DNA sequence: TTGAAATATCGTGATGTCACGATATGTTGG
DNA sequence: CCAACATATCGTGACATCACGATATTTCAA
């Protein structure tokens, strides 16, 4: 039996720190929109930038952030770079966010 | 028929901004821990502070932040102030976070 | 090979977040 | 009323985030 004084929900401090960091990456309007779009297919930096209404370099920086924490992978095809979702749990979390904030009800 | 050039996932820019702001509030290790604990019952500022390992005033500030965006409500009982969950979707989102980061597997 | 397109990187200034200590407010018991 | 307890608020300095412009890198096409 593990050492504990009371019954408490699980989670090491380290796990909470990691979870918080990923949520912080997600917590940006442009990045949220990019996640939502990429959950429906592959898109290039330019396409994502235009859809989100930001400059190409800004879009590139947001995508790099999300790639670094494992959200996306990227693949070069000619001049274009296609991004796509790599983290399966993104669909679940985005589903929660949509049902709370983006639901057409 | 509404005016649109292509089929795209739903969500006004304003809705994404609101969602991002709430996620940003959630994206902190101490606040995540507080949410998890409060999803299992009512707790005072002091109890939450001790559990999270932070000073009372720091806990109070985190709780005030989360109360302002509708996560919690508070009720005074004598010297103590009890906080409890007010936003029903917190359980869903926390469930997603737990299954990805805090799962005991 | 040269220029243009698509993406990436870097420096910078403005703004926001955070923990901490100090202090204020409210509450109970004596 | 007074002292201790529980919570809240405020000021401050360290640090992070963000968008922007400038520049670099990669690739294609002529």
């Amino acid at each position: 039996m593990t050492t504990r004084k009371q019954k408490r929900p699980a989670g090491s401090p380290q796990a909470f720190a990691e979870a918080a960091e990923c949520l912080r990456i997600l917590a940006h309007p442009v990045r949220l929109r990019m996640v939502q779009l990429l959950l429906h297919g592959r898109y290039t930096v330019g396409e994502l930038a235009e859809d989100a209404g930001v400059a190409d370099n800004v879009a590139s920086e947001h995508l790099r952030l999300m790639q670094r924490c494992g959200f996306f992978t990227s693949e070069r095809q000619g001049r274009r770079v296609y991004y796509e979702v790599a983290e399966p749990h993104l669909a679940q979390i985005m589903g929660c966010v949509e049902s709370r904030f983006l639901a057409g009800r």
Side-chain angles (χ1 to χ4, degrees), chain A:
Chain A
M1 148 172 170
T2 61
T3 326
R4 59 180 170 186
K5 303 179 181 173
Q6 296 178 225
K7 181 189 167 199
R8 286 183 182 170
S12 66
Q14 181 182 355
F16 280 99
E18 189 185 353
E21 190 181 342
C22 281
L23 284 178
R24 189 171 44 82
I25 298 298
L26 202 60
H28 187 288
V30 168
R31 294 196 287 265
L32 268 182
R33 174 60 178 167
M34 287 174 164
V35 167
Q36 191 195 36
L37 203 57
L38 283 171
L39 281 170
H40 291 79
R42 285 166 90 241
Y43 290 95
T44 68
V45 176
E47 288 169 341
L48 293 162
E50 186 188 355
D51 174 81
V54 298
D56 290 349
N57 61 340
V58 172
S60 178
E61 282 170 349
H62 285 304
L63 290 166
R64 184 169 67 102
L65 254 185
M66 292 190 277
Q67 192 177 17
R68 282 195 179 250
C69 67
F71 288 1
F72 304 144
T73 57
S74 63
E75 183 190 356
R76 179 144 224 151
Q77 285 189 5
R79 305 178 185 178
R80 316 280 177 98
V81 172
Y82 283 87
Y83 281 82
E84 63 184 331
V85 173
E87 165 61 58
H89 289 82
L90 271 185
Q92 290 180 11
I93 296 183
M94 198 63 207
C96 292
V97 172
E98 285 177 347
S99 74
R100 169 62 181 82
F101 295 103
L102 315 172
R105 173 164 312 176

